[in-house]
């Protein structure tokens, strides 16, 4: 017997592929999903801002390489990036316009992308 994804009540009537016992449970379930999706997005965005601030501070101070353990202490989260590509044997990451190479132990070659231009479609 299937159970309601929201309240766990056994669903006794209706199609066997029903996921919710009633419309209220269905609505609550999707509302919660939307809320947690937004909360997750906010969390990632705020971590990206923190990562950027840490990298920018290092770059402006002329520090272009640092042990991973030290940058993590500064609030940097290595798993949160805006882009990634493999360059030869290296793994190059970006946080917006700052790029760096990251290994298991160290971040190095911190630099800024040059000639960054942003084209917003439909906006002049
Ligand atoms: Zn229910």
């Amino acid at each position: 017997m299937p159970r309601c994804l929201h309240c766990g009540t056994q669903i006794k009537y209706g199609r066997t592929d029903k996921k919710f016992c009633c419309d209220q449970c269905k609505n609550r379930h999707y509302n919660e999903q939307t809320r947690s999706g937004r909360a997750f997005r906010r969390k990632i965005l705020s971590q990206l801002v923190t990562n950027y601030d840490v990298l920018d501070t290092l770059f402006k101070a002329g520090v272009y390489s640092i042990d991973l353990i030290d940058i993590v202490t500064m609030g940097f989260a290595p798993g949160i990036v805006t882009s990634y590509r493999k360059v030869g044997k290296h793994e190059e990451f970006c946080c917006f316009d700052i790029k760096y190479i990251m290994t298991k132990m160290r971040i190095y070659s911190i630099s800024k992308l040059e000639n960054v231009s942003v084209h917003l479609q439909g906006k002049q």
Side-chain angles (χ1 to χ4, degrees):
M1 201 97 71
R3 287 179 179 276
C4 173
L5 283 181
H6 187 70
C7 70
T9 306
Q10 282 197 343
I11 302 168
K12 292 173 184 157
Y13 306 105
R15 305 193 321 263
T16 53
D17 62 344
K18 265 183 91 172
K19 292 176 183 152
F20 303 98
C21 66
C22 61
D23 283 347
Q24 198 180 39
C25 274
K26 186 177 163 182
N27 290 336
R28 282 182 179 162
H29 181 79
Y30 289 119
N31 286 341
E32 279 173 17
Q33 269 197 336
T34 304
R35 253 200 309 280
S36 65
R38 284 197 187 120
F40 182 69
R41 197 170 58 190
R42 261 198 309 278
K43 211 174 112 186
I44 298 291
L45 286 173
S46 109
Q47 184 60 58
L48 276 174
V49 171
T50 302
N51 280 5
Y52 190 86
D53 288 345
V54 170
L55 290 165
D56 196 45
T57 302
L58 292 170
F59 182 78
K60 281 178 179 158
V63 178
Y64 308 120
S65 71
I66 184 169
D67 279 344
L68 211 50
I69 196 162
D70 292 329
I71 196 170
V72 167
T73 308
M74 296 170 77
F76 184 86
I80 312 292
V81 303
T82 56
S83 70
Y84 158 80
R85 67 186 184 126
K86 220 163 156 68
V87 182
K89 289 177 188 166
H90 303 301
E91 310 206 295
E92 187 187 271
F93 297 84
C94 279
C95 183
F96 301 106
D97 66 331
I98 298 179
K99 70 175 179 182
Y100 52 94
I101 291 168
M102 184 161 59
T103 66
K104 284 192 173 76
M105 302 296 288
R106 216 167 156 72
I107 278 180
Y108 61 97
S109 290
I110 298 171
S111 63
K112 291 222 173 173
L113 298 176
E114 280 165 30
N115 305 318
V116 175
S117 61
V118 178
H119 301 285
L120 296 174
Q121 275 186 347
K123 288 178 185 171
Q124 292 289 327

